[in-house]
Amino acid sequence: MENMKDKFIKIPKNIYNHSEIRELDGDYVFYYCWLLDFLQYSKKNPDYQENGLPYVIFTEEEALKFCNIKKGKLYRIKPKLRSLGLIDYKEQRSKKKGVSTPIFVTEFDLWEKNKQHLVYKNSGDKVRLSVESVHGFGSRETVGSNL
């Protein structure tokens, strides 16, 4: 599913404006940007959509080849990006070489907009908001403190 139209991977200019991403090394951002690139293709192809949501198939072998990362690092990257809400996926029941479950990628602008929905009380304490996953795999609670 390689997008051959563009010869470059696009990185959102303000991606490092967020402390959660600033603490990550470049491999995390590079992997996420590859997924964003593939997402543009998936949006145009109904074969790569589930319930109207586009997804990406990016196998372990492709990730290791295109992103030049080791397997152990990939196993740290995916859960971290998932915990940040940048991607979502269902765990594979049985690992098979060359097989990947759909990866739902949150576009950076949408992710950033969801981050801005944190509401602050006059005292400066964050208010807890329950935010449903963009991709429908349950609900998540944003970081916050007292209500």
Side-chain angles (χ1 to χ4, degrees), residues 2 30 34 38 58 61-69:
E2 189 171 356
F30 191 61
W34 263 104
F38 287 143
F58 197 43
E61 289 78 22
E62 290 171 324
L64 301 177
K65 175 184 168 190
F66 292 130
C67 299
N68 195 29
I69 54 176

Side-chain angles (χ1 to χ4, degrees), residues 20-100:
E20 303 97 328
I21 296 174
R22 188 175 276 293
E23 69 186 31
L24 303 175
D25 72 33
D27 290 336
Y28 290 77
V29 174
F30 191 61
Y31 178 83
Y32 172 66
C33 290
W34 263 104
L35 295 176
L36 283 176
D37 189 56
F38 287 143
L39 182 65
Q40 299 314 310
Y41 174 80
S42 297
K43 284 178 167 182
K44 299 172 188 170
N45 188 339
D47 292 337
Y48 291 99
Q49 295 183 16
E50 183 177 297
N51 298 326
L53 292 172
Y55 63 82
V56 171
I57 296 293
F58 197 43
T59 66
E60 184 178 288
E61 289 78 22
E62 290 171 324
L64 301 177
K65 175 184 168 190
F66 292 130
C67 299
N68 195 29
I69 54 176
K70 303 282 185 215
K71 192 182 289 191
K73 184 138 192 193
L74 177 63
Y75 293 152
R76 291 188 305 272
I77 289 174
K78 284 180 71 178
K80 180 63 178 178
L81 293 179
R82 185 184 205 184
S83 73
L84 291 173
L86 291 167
I87 66 172
D88 209 346
Y89 54 90
K90 294 178 184 173
E91 293 291 337
Q92 257 183 295
R93 290 191 180 138
S94 61
K95 305 272 184 199
K96 292 182 182 176
K97 188 173 183 167
V99 175
S100 173

